[in-house]
Amino acid sequence: MIELDLRRLRFLREFEERGTLAAVAAALGYSPSTVSQQLALLEKEVGARLLDKAGRGVRLTDAGHLLVQHARVLLSAAEAAEADLAGLGGDIRGTVRAGGLQSAARRLLIPALARMKADHPQVRVEIFELELEQSLPGLRLGAVDLVIGDEYDSHPRPRPAGLRFTLLLEEPLKIVLPAAHPLARPGGPVPVADLRSDIWTASAEGTGHHAMVIGTCRALGGYEPDLRHRSSDADVQLELVRAAAAVALMPTLTLPGDDPALAIRDIAETTLKRRLVAATRDTPPAPALTALLTAVTAQVHGLDLWKPSRSTARRS
């Protein structure tokens, strides 16, 4: 009977996902030689060659691909067993690793962390800022437990197998202009089509926000925006509007409540929305993760999203 080491199976699953021994080593915090040694030991355990040389690297054999399929099942079962055992105790403890884009980290995850410190002090919560595209592989492989990402109208996100996506929040997008912009003065909705000659700012290339800004200008205005400034930091985008006379298309969660240097307007042609989603593995969650999700949901319900300030209303 084959005795399988779950830790070595994790190495194999990581290799199938990441493609190189160096990438596996970087993700798990080992040296490439250690990863190679562990996979060699796994080959001895199963009595089959799992990797073949391919140029300067290696690739999975048919036996390797077959074992990866079983590894996913076994590792998922081990994770479920760990969650069930953790649920038997009266105290909630453990480690939860959560990531998200900047606005989600600032407005949802950090306040949820404060709530967790008060309600569940024995849970270690680790928070990092990361775009959904970058974090899904780590989520699938167990390096991350929760990711809060976004998606926009007409720009849906992929839904990889093995993950669960839960809607947290839906919010409208606003056009953000310098207060002195000619289209800001009437105070009403602003047509995207009328911003053809303006300089735009958006998030980094490859993000959902970047694709949404370009797609919106094409669909509603029939033009390619002069997307001159790129930053995934919402505060940097807002400063570019203030100081460099750029224009932006931003969700309400990222907007300041009262800023005389900015004019925040509705989109004239249509209503566009952003959705924040919580992504987790599609397995029974550990009690610590359930507690964090509860704290995040409570924070969502308590949000006071952007509303026009009195000074903004007078200026309009």
Side-chain angles (χ1 to χ4, degrees), residues 1 48 68 76 81 126 138 160 194 198 206 212 229 232 255 300 309:
M1 180 179 179
V68 165
S76 177
E126 300 176 4
D194 290 352
D198 285 271
M212 179 275 297
H229 309 300
S232 294
L255 299 176
V300 170
S309 65

Side-chain angles (χ1 to χ4, degrees), residues 37 48 86 100 106 108 110 113 115 127 138 152 157 173 203 219 234 238 243 263 286 288 294 297-298:
Q37 290 168 9
R106 177 180 294 175
L108 301 182
I110 293 175
L113 169 61
R115 187 184 295 261
I127 290 178
Y152 297 87
R157 296 286 196 179
L173 296 172
S203 294
L238 291 170
T294 299
T297 302

Side-chain angles (χ1 to χ4, degrees), residues 192-216:
V192 172
D194 290 352
L195 300 173
R196 174 186 297 270
S197 299
D198 285 271
I199 296 169
W200 284 78
T201 179
S203 294
E205 190 171 358
T207 63
H209 183 264
H210 184 277
M212 179 275 297
V213 169
I214 292 177
T216 298

